[in-house]
Amino acid sequence: NAGVTQTPKFQVLKTGQSMTLQCAQDMNHEYMSWYRQDPGMGLRLIHYSVGAGITDQGEVPNGYNVSRSTTEDFPLRLLSAAPSQTSVYFCASSYSWVGNQPQHFGDGTRLSIL
Amino acid sequence: KQEVTQIPAALSVPEGENLVLNCSFTDSAIYNLQWFRQDPGKGLTSLLLIQSSQREQTSGRLNASLDKSSGRSTLYIAASQPGDSATYLCAAFTQGGSEKLVFGKGTKLTVNP
């Protein structure tokens, strides 16, 4: 199994540009989420989804949009990139959110905004 | 608001030592407590998950405990090896209308040969 696949692995953007970070899982997981990891801040939740068609905001949602049209895919969109969004972004999934299944993480997307 | 704290932030030990990593959380309304390992430049790998009704979980040389009443979890690593060098993160999957994993900032472990 491929697990959780994130693309691209690296990206450099200019301020004001938009882009979509892709996340796909092949484990039929209902729960998917996006985190950003910054030095000294740890991992912070951006958005999450408990199933297709259902999304909700996490701790730091401003400047990001998500949608969940299929169980497999959970893309993260940066609407107008800002230097403060320079970070490493991780997508994660689990079978359910009820609490007895571990989270599976992708390898991350390293994003730099100039 | 759930807050998760890990102490110490960094730890350096000689090979072969048994060691304990600490994690504390402020809100006991959790579904589970998870421990992860992160190698430099890599994603997170799940090590152990303790459900809220459980007291501990074991996998090989790793043992994690959970005390909800005191808001604490520990990760015990037996007979440490240089390959155990990594950052260890704990995370509480929190209940209460916003089901989400709240992470500590991690403990960076170095095991010296």
Side-chain angles (χ1 to χ4, degrees), chain A residues 43-82:
Chain A
L43 281 100
R44 292 179 291 169
L45 181 66
I46 305 171
H47 286 284
Y48 67 99
S49 169
V50 298
I54 306 170
T55 64
D56 206 346
Q57 296 181 350
E59 183 182 357
V60 287
N62 293 340
Y64 307 95
N65 271 357
V66 292
S67 60
R68 184 97 180 269
S69 57
T70 68
T71 299
E72 294 78 20
D73 300 299
F74 191 43
L76 178 72
R77 298 181 186 84
L78 277 69
L79 308 174
S80 178

Side-chain angles (χ1 to χ4, degrees), chain A residues 31 35 37 40-43 45 48 56-59 90 94 96-103 105-108 110, chain B residues 1 31-32 34 36 38 40-46 49-52 89 93 97-105:
Chain A
Y31 185 92
Y35 295 85
Q37 185 174 37
M41 301 293 293
L43 281 100
L45 181 66
Y48 67 99
D56 206 346
Q57 296 181 350
E59 183 182 357
F90 289 101
S94 65
S96 78
W97 53 268
V98 174
N100 59 351
Q101 298 293 328
Q103 296 282 314
F105 279 77
D107 288 337
R110 285 146 185 82
Chain B
K1 177 185 174 184
Y31 288 115
N32 64 54
Q34 300 183 40
F36 296 88
Q38 186 175 30
K42 301 292 187 181
L44 280 69
T45 300
S46 178
L49 180 152
I50 312 175
Q51 296 183 45
S52 62
L89 298 156
F93 205 122
S98 179
E99 285 71 19
K100 60 185 181 182
L101 209 54
V102 179
F103 281 85
K105 294 181 181 179

